[in-house]
Amino acid sequence: MTGTQRREQLLDVSRQLFAEKGFEGTSVEEIASRAQVSKPVVYEHFGGKEGMYAVVVDREIQALTGTLTRALEQGGHPEALVERTALALLDYIESSTDGFRILVRDSPVAQTTGTFSSLIGDVAMQVEHLLAGQFTKRGLDPRTAPIYAQMLVGMVALTGQYWLDARRPAKTEVAAHLVNLAWNGLSNLQRNPTLLGDESPS
């Protein structure tokens, strides 16, 4: 096995273990044992568990970012945008279950620039600009677009975390329900929403 092949093998093994047991629950000894190598080989390639974890997380962040960005870049009607974004996340969860489990786990070595929450924040910033344009067209205050972008992307992300384990209903049905709530809610936004408690008694 070449050095590159060995490195990829170790990454595959550690990815599975991090998904199963988390960062704290995984040891270098276990990674080496499952890869059928000695501990020094793991240290030689990654310098330790932290280095290996950082590479695994970075790869998953890039994969998911690419998937979501491609969905957002296609443009089109906002309802179609919500649908594509929801399906893109669910597709990623389905095809990269281990990777998604790693991203949504809390870890002491996860940096603020490499966590699932920061990734969702980046996606929300892209959605924000699209929503602002729609808000202006509809006579709504575009300054509120960042709040709605966070709510919209957060709803999709949290639903994705739920579906990670439930896997029911089917992916397309989950996406349809997400779009139903998001779009039918967004399409009837009030210009100046108030809470029920703010209304004067009749």
Side-chain angles (χ1 to χ4, degrees), residues 59 69 100 186:
R59 284 188 173 191
T69 299
F100 190 74
L186 288 171

Side-chain angles (χ1 to χ4, degrees), residues 65-76 81 84-85 126 130:
T65 300
T67 297
L68 295 175
T69 299
R70 284 190 294 275
L72 292 168
E73 285 176 344
Q74 293 177 44
L81 177 79
R84 283 198 308 270
T85 303
Q126 296 182 57
L130 299 165

Side-chain angles (χ1 to χ4, degrees), residues 3 18 116 118 151 169:
F18 289 139
F116 184 63
S118 69
M151 288 188 281

